[in-house]
Amino acid sequence: MQRTYELKTDQTLETIKVLESRGIDRMAVILRHSERDFTDNPSHEPFMGLTDHGKSFAFDMGRNLPKKFKPRLFSSFFGRCIETAYLIDKGYSLEHGTLLDHNQTHELLAPFYIKDIEQAVTKVRKLGTRDFIRTWFDRKIDESVIILPEDTADMVCSHMVDRLKALDQNEMAVCVSHDWNLFPIKEFKMGLK
C-alpha cells in the first residue's frame, strides 16, 4: 500500500529555534513518528517499522536539534515511535558529541484511547480513516469503542505538562507519538479542524 508522508521537520525545528530566540529555556515537543511502512493487516500495525526515508528524516531531525536543548526522549511503545526516538538520539549524539539517556515509553503517547480494537478497526474499514476520525470528533462513536476526543486531548496535554515540569534548564522533552494522538490536540486545544 503506497501512502504519502508530509514532512514537517523543518517547521518543527523552526518553531524550536523561534522559542529559543524568545528566551525559552526548556520545552516539551510532541511529534509524529517518522515515515513508516504500511500494512493491510491490522494485527501487524504495532510492528510496522520506518521506511529508509523515515530513518533518514529521524536521524537528520536529531542532528538538527539545537545543542542548547539536551533532549530527553519519550515515545509510544509502537516500534515506529521507538525507532524514531532512537534515531533522533543517534543524530543528536553524533552531531553534538554527547550521550543521551535511553528513550522511555509511555502509554499516553500510544493509542490508549481505543477501548475496543476490533470494533474500531471494523469502523475504520467501513468509514475510512478520515471519516472515522471526523465521526469520533463529532462524538458519534460510543465510548465503549473509543474515549471522547476532548478527554484524549486533555490526557496527552497533561502528559506533556508533566514532562515539561520534570525538565531542568536547557532540556527538551521530545515525545514521539502518533498522528491520531496529535489530531485531538489540534482540534480541541488549538481550534484547528
Side-chain angles (χ1 to χ4, degrees):
M1 177 183 299
Q2 182 67 17
R3 305 236 177 132
T4 59
Y5 179 73
E6 187 178 347
L7 189 62
K8 305 267 183 160
T9 306
D10 290 341
Q11 292 170 321
T12 302
L13 291 168
E14 184 58 32
T15 300
I16 291 168
K17 290 175 186 170
V18 166
L19 292 171
E20 179 184 10
S21 73
R22 293 182 182 170
I24 300 297
D25 66 358
R26 68 198 82 194
M27 66 183 79
V29 178
I30 186 167
L31 47 100
R32 179 191 187 270
H33 56 78
S34 196
E35 180 181 283
R36 54 95 167 215
D37 287 316
F38 286 90
T39 180
D40 289 327
N41 185 337
S43 66
H44 294 171
E45 188 61 29
F47 309 104
M48 300 306 299
L50 301 180
T51 65
D52 288 341
H53 289 296
K55 292 173 186 175
S56 294
F57 297 152
F59 185 81
D60 289 344
M61 171 91 179
R63 285 185 58 234
N64 289 298
L65 286 174
K67 184 175 184 175
K68 174 182 178 178
F69 295 107
K70 185 175 181 180
R72 293 184 60 198
L73 297 160
F74 304 89
S75 76
S76 161
F77 48 77
F78 278 44
R80 58 187 171 265
C81 295
I82 294 170
E83 190 174 11
T84 299
Y86 173 82
L87 290 165
I88 289 171
D89 172 350
K90 296 309 150 208
Y92 183 89
S93 295
L94 179 69
E95 184 69 21
H96 301 297
T98 186
L99 297 176
L100 302 179
D101 291 336
H102 291 292
N103 174 52
Q104 296 177 44
T105 60
H106 199 284
E107 181 184 13
L108 290 177
L109 295 172
F112 66 91
Y113 37 83
I114 297 176
K115 296 299 179 189
D116 186 327
I117 188 67
E118 289 182 22
Q119 283 193 47
V121 168
T122 299
K123 288 184 182 297
V124 168
R125 284 184 173 157
K126 179 181 175 189
L127 299 172
T129 300
R130 287 178 189 255
D131 288 343
F132 175 85
I133 292 171
R134 184 76 264 145
T135 303
W136 175 32
F137 286 7
D138 292 342
R139 292 163 213 83
K140 295 178 181 174
I141 300 177
D142 191 86
E143 287 183 71
S144 65
V145 176
I146 191 166
I147 69 172
L148 292 174
E150 299 94 324
D151 293 346
T152 298
D154 288 345
M155 293 168 76
V156 174
C157 287
S158 177
H159 173 74
M160 296 302 296
V161 168
D162 290 345
R163 298 292 67 77
L164 184 62
K165 288 178 179 178
L167 295 175
D168 291 328
Q169 188 173 11
N170 297 326
E171 286 188 326
M172 174 189 327
V174 177
C175 300
V176 183
S177 191
H178 305 270
D179 43 12
W180 283 33
N181 291 58
L182 301 178
F183 294 155
I185 295 170
K186 287 173 71 174
E187 182 149 335
F188 295 96
K189 294 295 187 183
M190 301 171 71
L192 302 171
K193 288 265 183 195

